Amino acid sequence: MSRGGSIPRGKEKESLNSSRNIESQAKFCQSRVALVEKNYGNLCETLGSITRKAARQRDKGDLLAKQLQEYANSENISHCTKAGLTLCAQNMSAIQDYREAEIKRLEAKVVHPLSGYGDICKKKKKDISTELGNIKKEQKTLQQLEKVRTKSPGDQHQITRAETELKKANVDSEMGGKALEEQMVVFEKQRLGDVKNSLADFINIEMIFHARALEYYARCFENIVMIDEERDLQEFKRKLQASKGMHADFGQTLGGLSGGSSTMGSDTLGTGSSYTYTYGDTSTATASASDARRVRISNTSMMYDDDEDDEDDDDDDEYSVPRRTGMR
């Protein structure tokens, strides 16, 4: 032991080794927190993106159900189609109700718990930095003590003062190291439980939604395949023939009002022979109808251009989870 009850040099060496051990532990904790911050951030970002995509799909599903119902309401000839579309729209809307529940559960049980690790990790890094500062202070104090002993070995007052500062720095470092160790154990326990529960909830929520969605998609499929297109076609033909008869009656009425002129009747709708002559060329009518049908298909094919929707889907980073209209 040195003079005047000062700290033995062996004790100083032990304190230095303890300081280095605490420093090594603090750096281990620092790397661990950085790893958690990175991976939990990636998980939170991806799971949040999945939730936003589900919200967008919910909105599109609502729109589809609305359009199906509007189509059914406007259909007055094909009654089987009308009934099938009505039921399909109802079941499609029910799927979006389940999707809304899925989104709320994902936000509450999956995204929210993981999103808090940004602040948690930031606080842990601050605590670790404080502890590393205490360790550096202890090491610096030890170096100052060695310097005083080397330059002024007879100045007991300066040596005692430096030793007192070293003891204080050593106590602060050890207490901070123990507190950091306890905090890291709590942090590790919490983050293991949170990631396990969040991923388990995510899988469970998705399984429940897809099970219910499959049930209602099966109902939608049944609603559509049960449409009797032959019956609707026959109904359309009947209406088509009835509309032609109404046109003929209207023409005959006009012919009667013209004074019964035989010349005008032979050129238009008067006699049976002129009627046959007017509609006799079926090949020309068929070709015209075919051409008209092709034109209609060509014009309506642009309805299914989804370039704008694809561009919207790519802009995911700026898309927050929208709330369902009418749900609040």
Side-chain angles (χ1 to χ4, degrees):
M1 179 178 289
S2 60
R3 294 176 300 170
S6 60
I7 299 176
R9 294 187 179 273
K11 189 71 174 177
E12 293 174 3
K13 185 176 181 180
E14 181 181 346
S15 175
L16 179 61
N17 291 333
S18 175
S19 175
R20 289 174 177 173
N21 291 335
I22 295 174
E23 182 180 17
S24 176
Q25 186 182 62
K27 289 182 177 179
F28 169 79
C29 295
Q30 192 175 43
S31 64
R32 187 64 174 172
V33 170
L35 182 69
V36 172
E37 184 179 31
K38 175 184 176 181
N39 289 285
Y40 279 43
N42 291 337
L43 287 174
C44 185
E45 181 180 357
T46 302
L47 291 168
S49 177
I50 291 173
T51 304
R52 293 190 295 273
K53 292 287 186 181
R56 181 175 295 157
Q57 192 170 2
R58 172 206 60 200
D59 293 341
K60 295 296 184 182
D62 282 335
L63 179 61
L64 176 59
K66 179 182 177 182
Q67 291 173 343
L68 288 173
Q69 188 61 59
E70 290 176 350
Y71 177 21
N73 292 339
S74 63
E75 181 58 68
N76 296 322
I77 296 177
S78 303
H79 297 294
C80 289
T81 301
K82 182 184 183 74
L85 292 177
T86 299
L87 293 175
C88 183
Q90 293 172 358
N91 289 320
M92 188 66 66
S93 180
I95 293 172
Q96 309 322 311
D97 291 338
Y98 284 110
R99 201 183 298 277
E100 173 71 9
E102 172 203 17
I103 293 167
K104 289 183 176 180
R105 291 170 183 167
L106 287 175
E107 284 184 292
K109 294 187 175 183
V110 179
V111 178
H112 181 70
L114 294 179
S115 65
Y117 273 85
D119 293 335
I120 293 175
C121 290
K122 184 177 180 180
K123 184 177 183 302
K124 290 301 171 195
K125 289 193 295 184
K126 184 177 180 181
D127 293 340
I128 294 171
S129 296
T130 300
E131 177 58 20
L132 289 173
N134 292 335
I135 294 170
K136 289 181 179 180
K137 181 179 179 181
E138 180 185 9
Q139 294 173 350
K140 185 177 180 180
T141 305
L142 180 60
Q143 292 174 357
Q144 289 176 347
L145 175 60
E146 292 294 336
K147 185 177 180 180
V148 170
R149 282 176 174 171
T150 301
K151 290 186 175 182
S152 306
D155 192 347
Q156 190 62 35
H157 177 71
Q158 290 291 337
I159 293 174
T160 302
R161 181 178 178 182
E163 288 176 345
T164 302
E165 292 178 355
L166 177 60
K167 288 180 180 179
K168 182 179 178 181
N170 180 258
V171 170
D172 291 342
S173 176
E174 289 184 354
M175 290 181 61
K178 291 181 180 179
L180 179 61
E181 183 177 349
E182 293 174 356
Q183 291 173 8
M184 284 302 298
V185 171
V186 174
F187 169 77
E188 187 72 7
K189 181 179 179 181
Q190 178 184 356
R191 74 102 191 164
L192 287 172
D194 285 343
V195 72
K196 176 183 177 181
N197 293 334
S198 293
L199 293 177
D201 285 336
F202 170 73
I203 296 170
N204 187 49
I205 290 168
E206 291 298 299
M207 286 193 302
I208 291 174
F209 166 72
H210 284 92
R212 298 299 292 173
L214 180 60
E215 176 185 349
Y216 278 86
Y217 273 124
R219 296 183 184 182
C220 290
F221 179 77
E222 183 179 359
N223 299 148
I224 298 303
V225 298
M226 290 301 290
I227 294 176
D228 189 347
E229 62 266 36
E230 186 62 31
R231 181 177 176 182
D232 284 346
L233 181 60
Q234 293 300 324
E235 180 65 18
F236 174 76
K237 288 180 178 179
R238 188 179 69 81
K239 294 287 187 180
L240 183 63
Q241 293 298 325
S243 66
K244 182 166 52 175
M246 291 172 60
H247 179 70
D249 291 343
F250 181 70
Q252 291 173 2
T253 302
L254 290 178
L257 293 175
S258 64
S261 172
S262 60
T263 303
M264 294 181 61
S266 61
D267 290 337
T268 54
L269 299 176
T271 63
S273 59
S274 63
Y275 181 86
T276 304
Y277 173 78
T278 305
Y279 296 94
D281 192 356
T282 57
S283 61
T284 303
T286 304
S288 299
S290 178
D291 292 340
R293 182 169 61 252
R294 284 195 293 270
V295 170
R296 287 198 297 272
I297 292 174
S298 176
N299 290 337
T300 57
S301 63
M302 297 302 293
M303 289 173 57
Y304 306 100
D305 187 359
D306 289 333
D307 291 341
E308 184 177 352
D309 272 354
D310 292 340
E311 292 176 0
D312 292 341
D313 290 342
D314 291 337
D315 189 16
D316 185 65
D317 293 338
E318 300 179 358
Y319 186 82
S320 60
V321 178
R323 298 299 176 182
R324 197 176 187 192
T325 57
M327 292 297 295
R328 290 183 175 272

